[in-house]
Amino acid sequence: QVRLVESGGGSVQAGGSLRLSCAASGSTYNEYSMAWFRQAPGKEREGVALKLGDGTLKYAESVKGRFTISKDNAKNILYLHMNSLKSEDTAMYYCAAFCRFDCWNLNGTYDFWGQGTQVTVSS
């Protein structure tokens, strides 16, 4: 069982930056796939960025060039660095781990999820 705890969300003006963190615990294996998803009110959940176990990174077109996913393997923390934030980035952001199906797809199926952290961008 893997436990994921997100932090770092908050309110920021358009053009600002935030760094989300996802602390993972409960697995002795470190090289598993992890991803960030988000869900805005009234919209479906969407994949934002993923990091496969082999190090492959992938981003949604809407965040490419602005967001960066990274992982500190020593601390087992996944990050999402978000720059040039826009009002349309406002959403609840979720961390996910251990992709089970469709892992090259940003909207793949993951076994474990965090509770989410809210990001609000005001214009």
Side-chain angles (χ1 to χ4, degrees), residues 5-6 15 26 31 33 36 46-47 50 54 62 64 72 74 77 79-80 84-85 87 89 93 96 100 102 107 114:
V5 179
E6 301 98 333
E31 298 301 323
S33 53
W36 288 99
E46 63 171 346
L50 63 81
D54 64 0
S62 60
K64 202 172 286 185
D72 184 331
I77 298 176
Y79 298 102
L80 185 68
S84 302
L85 282 161
S87 57
D89 295 319
Y93 283 71
R100 182 173 291 275
D102 209 9
N107 294 303

Side-chain angles (χ1 to χ4, degrees), residues 100-112:
R100 182 173 291 275
F101 297 119
D102 209 9
C103 299
W104 282 88
N105 188 328
L106 280 165
N107 294 303
T109 301
Y110 286 77
D111 283 342
F112 302 104

Side-chain angles (χ1 to χ4, degrees), residues 16-64:
S17 299
L18 283 173
R19 187 185 74 169
L20 305 184
S21 300
C22 172
S25 60
S27 173
T28 55
Y29 177 61
N30 223 3
E31 298 301 323
Y32 47 82
S33 53
M34 296 187 75
W36 288 99
F37 288 76
R38 67 185 180 187
Q39 187 166 21
K43 294 188 177 181
E44 291 189 356
R45 186 177 63 196
E46 63 171 346
V48 174
L50 63 81
K51 181 180 185 298
L52 297 180
D54 64 0
T56 299
L57 307 179
K58 194 171 183 180
Y59 297 92
E61 286 298 321
S62 60
V63 306
K64 202 172 286 185

